[in-house]
Amino acid sequence: MTQTVAVLGTGKIGEALLSGMIRAGWRARDLLVTTRRAERAEELRTRYGVEAVTNAEAAKSADILILAVKPQDMGRLLDELAPHVSADRLVISAAAGITTAFIEDSLAAGTPVVRVMPNTPVLVDEGMSVISAGSHATAEHLDHAEEIFGGVGKTLRVPESQQDAATALSGSGPAYFYFLVEAMTDAGILLGLPRAQAHDLIVQAAIGAAVMLRDSGEHPVKLREAVTSPAGTTISAIRELENHGVRAALIAALEAARDRSRELATGNG
C-alpha cells in the first residue's frame, strides 16, 4: 500500500472506491482525486483528507490511475492523459463498454490496462466487480485491481470477451431487482396493503432470499421448490409468471443490455 493511487472522476462510484481504500488501510496521503467542480474537490478533501489535483497532475505522479468517468467522457480524458502517462503506470478503467484495446491505443505503448465493471452496491460494500486484463497487464496488475475493488465487495476475474455479458448481468443487475421490487410493491398495494408495509415485506423477502442463495449452496431451483407446495399459492403465482413470459423477457433484457455494452465499445454512444 505504498503506491500512489489517483481516482479520476470522483463521482459516486469513485468516492465509494476511495472510501473503501481508506477503510482497507490506504493512507490518505497516498490517494489523489480529480473532479470537475472545485466545491466537490473541497468536499472530498474535507471528508477524506485526500489531495485534489488536475488530471494531468494525477497522471504524472500516481502509480495507479483509476478512470471512473462515464463512457462518453473517456475519449476526452485519454486525450488529456496521453502526454503524461508513462508505460510503467497501471491504468484501471471502470467505464462500461470501454475496451482495454481502446485505452491502450490512446496511451504509451506497453501501458498495462485492467478493465473493471463494478456495480452500484459498491456504495454499501456489497458490490461485484468483474476484472479483465488487457494485453500488457500481468497477474500482479490484476492483484492490484482486486486489492482496490475488494474493499467494496467481491471481485471476479473473467476474460475480456465476457465483459459485455458481465455488464448486462452484474453491472446492470441491481436495476432489475429494483424494478422487480417496484412492481411487487404496486401489486401489494393492489392486494390491499399500505405502500410502506408492502415495501418492507418485499425488501426483507429479497434480503432473506439473497442471503439464502449466497450461504446455503443450494441451486435456486431447490430453494424455489422448498417454497412451492402442491396446489398452493406459490405455484399459482409461478404459473402466471411463466404464462406472461417473464423468463423469456429477462433473457431478452439481458441480451439487449449486452448489445448496448458492445455499442458503447464501438463509440456509438
Side-chain angles (χ1 to χ4, degrees):
M1 296 184 185
T2 58
Q3 293 180 307
T4 301
V5 178
V7 181
L8 283 67
T10 316
K12 289 184 178 180
I13 298 296
E15 183 177 355
L17 292 174
L18 180 68
S19 175
M21 283 187 284
I22 289 175
R23 289 194 303 277
W26 292 81
R27 299 174 300 185
R29 67 177 186 232
D30 294 327
L31 301 173
L32 304 173
V33 297
T34 75
T35 68
R36 287 183 173 179
R37 297 180 293 109
E39 57 269 28
R40 174 63 171 164
E42 183 58 34
E43 179 183 323
L44 294 169
R45 272 194 294 261
T46 301
R47 186 174 298 165
Y48 301 105
V50 296
E51 183 180 0
V53 298
T54 67
N55 290 330
E57 288 169 339
K60 292 174 185 176
S61 55
D63 302 295
I64 300 174
L65 302 174
I66 302 174
L67 312 185
V69 298
K70 295 177 181 178
Q72 57 267 34
D73 296 330
M74 183 64 77
R76 182 168 59 252
L77 175 62
L78 290 172
D79 288 342
E80 190 175 349
L81 297 178
H84 310 291
V85 178
S86 57
D88 60 346
R89 303 287 195 262
L90 169 59
V91 176
I92 300 175
S93 168
I98 302 298
T99 65
T100 58
F102 177 84
I103 298 172
E104 289 166 353
D105 289 345
S106 302
L107 301 177
T111 301
V113 178
V114 173
R115 177 178 173 182
V116 184
M117 185 65 245
N119 60 14
T120 55
V122 298
L123 299 171
V124 292
D125 293 346
E126 290 291 347
M128 172 56 81
S129 298
V130 183
I131 299 175
S132 301
S135 58
H136 308 297
T138 66
E140 183 179 0
H141 295 130
L142 291 174
D143 289 341
H144 287 315
E146 286 186 335
E147 181 182 14
I148 293 168
F149 285 82
V152 289
K154 293 182 177 295
T155 62
L156 177 68
R157 296 186 188 186
V158 303
E160 189 169 10
S161 61
Q162 296 178 2
Q163 272 282 357
D164 293 319
T167 297
L169 197 64
S170 175
S172 300
Y176 313 147
F177 287 97
Y178 303 145
F179 183 87
L180 182 60
V181 168
E182 179 187 358
M184 291 177 71
T185 300
D186 288 343
I189 295 168
L190 179 66
L191 296 176
L193 291 169
R195 177 175 291 276
Q197 289 184 6
H199 176 81
D200 289 347
L201 287 169
I202 294 160
V203 169
Q204 187 55 40
I207 292 170
V211 171
M212 288 185 71
L213 279 166
R214 183 189 65 191
D215 296 346
S216 70
E218 294 284 359
H219 193 281
V221 169
K222 278 197 170 184
L223 294 175
R224 178 177 61 77
E225 288 176 344
V227 188
T228 311
S229 56
T233 59
T234 305
I235 192 61
S236 296
I238 295 294
R239 180 187 62 187
E240 288 303 312
L241 291 172
E242 294 290 10
N243 286 342
H244 286 80
V246 172
R247 190 186 304 265
L250 283 171
I251 293 172
L254 289 167
E255 288 178 332
R258 178 207 57 197
D259 293 346
R260 180 56 180 153
S261 182
R262 289 174 176 173
E263 289 176 359
L264 290 171
T266 61
N268 295 322

